[in-house]
Amino acid sequence: MQKLRAVAVALVATIVVSSSASAQMRNFDNSWFWGFKSGINTFSVPGHGNTSTVDLGIDWLITRTRGGLYVSANQSIFERDLEFLDPTSLTGQRTIHVNDMRRISLAGVAFPKHFGAITPYAGLGFTIAVLGDARVFVDSATTFPNNSFLDEVEKERSRSAVMGLAGVQIQTKRAAIFAQETMLPSNTSFLFRSVLSFFEFGVRYNFGSSIDQ
């Protein structure tokens, strides 16, 4: 029942915003948007399986007719333990406590076609992700990690990667709502080895023309 209600609301919203599509496009093309977003960050924690966390952020979207520039800053809020290999430990691994993750992203985006006030988009860019903290636990045998292990943990606390995103924005005068998916490939030199997936939704507001008059 809840899904049916959601679909009905989405259809009504689509009809309403599409009724004045030409006006909406004047508020989309060649514009400068600021937005706020929230969502879910999904990844796999070594030794503990898949997990999801809350993700918050702001973004900046500069549009032309068929393309634009996308910039965003995000923070995922969480505390997780993961297992990291260490031959000096009696168990062969150590537990590391990590918390939070910050991301800065830059991408070029394309707007292939407008469907009334609905604009799908896709982009390719670059992301820098940094974990807020990574604390190494001493194992039950009280064997301490050596400096090379600590250096490796610190090195793998951050990563840079190519990112891909796809989404849809629904325009209503100067305000818009949007939903998008961002993905980063897996990386064996980052504490989270898995693919990072971010589903986000939010609002953007057109603050004016992106063309110097």
Side-chain angles (χ1 to χ4, degrees), residues 16-153:
V16 170
V17 299
S18 296
S19 62
S20 54
S22 60
Q24 314 307 341
M25 289 308 97
R26 289 197 299 271
N27 288 317
F28 182 88
D29 293 347
N30 303 317
S31 295
W32 182 346
F33 289 90
W34 282 97
F36 172 80
K37 56 185 178 176
S38 180
I40 300 295
N41 173 12
T42 303
F43 53 93
S44 179
V45 178
H48 296 274
N50 294 329
T51 187
S52 297
T53 68
V54 175
D55 192 70
L56 302 171
I58 57 174
D59 65 16
W60 181 37
L61 180 65
I62 301 175
T63 67
R64 291 293 189 262
T65 303
R66 295 299 180 190
L69 178 67
Y70 175 80
V71 181
S72 73
N74 288 72
Q75 175 151 338
S76 297
I77 304 170
F78 61 85
E79 292 186 6
R80 295 291 189 276
D81 290 339
L82 61 87
E83 307 306 319
F84 196 88
L85 295 179
D86 181 10
T88 66
S89 171
L90 293 180
T91 61
Q93 61 186 18
R94 292 185 188 276
T95 299
I96 300 176
H97 184 79
V98 296
N99 68 280
D100 300 345
M101 180 169 61
R102 299 179 181 91
R103 291 181 293 131
I104 296 178
S105 303
L106 174 67
V109 292
F111 314 113
K113 185 176 178 60
H114 299 299
F115 299 92
I118 302 173
T119 303
Y121 58 89
L124 189 67
F126 192 75
T127 292
I128 297 175
V130 182
L131 292 170
D133 193 14
R135 290 180 290 161
V136 180
F137 281 76
V138 177
D139 61 22
S140 58
T142 66
T143 58
F144 291 89
N146 56 34
N147 289 334
S148 62
F149 176 84
L150 296 176
D151 290 343
E152 184 63 25
V153 170

Side-chain angles (χ1 to χ4, degrees), residues 41-52 78 82-83 101 103 129 131 156 159-162 182-198:
N41 173 12
T42 303
F43 53 93
S44 179
V45 178
H48 296 274
N50 294 329
T51 187
S52 297
F78 61 85
L82 61 87
E83 307 306 319
M101 180 169 61
R103 291 181 293 131
L131 292 170
E156 296 193 17
R159 67 171 293 193
S160 58
V162 173
T182 303
M183 297 193 72
L184 277 65
S186 60
N187 190 318
T188 57
S189 61
F190 186 59
L191 288 176
F192 297 150
R193 307 290 199 228
S194 69
V195 171
L196 300 181
S197 173
F198 307 88

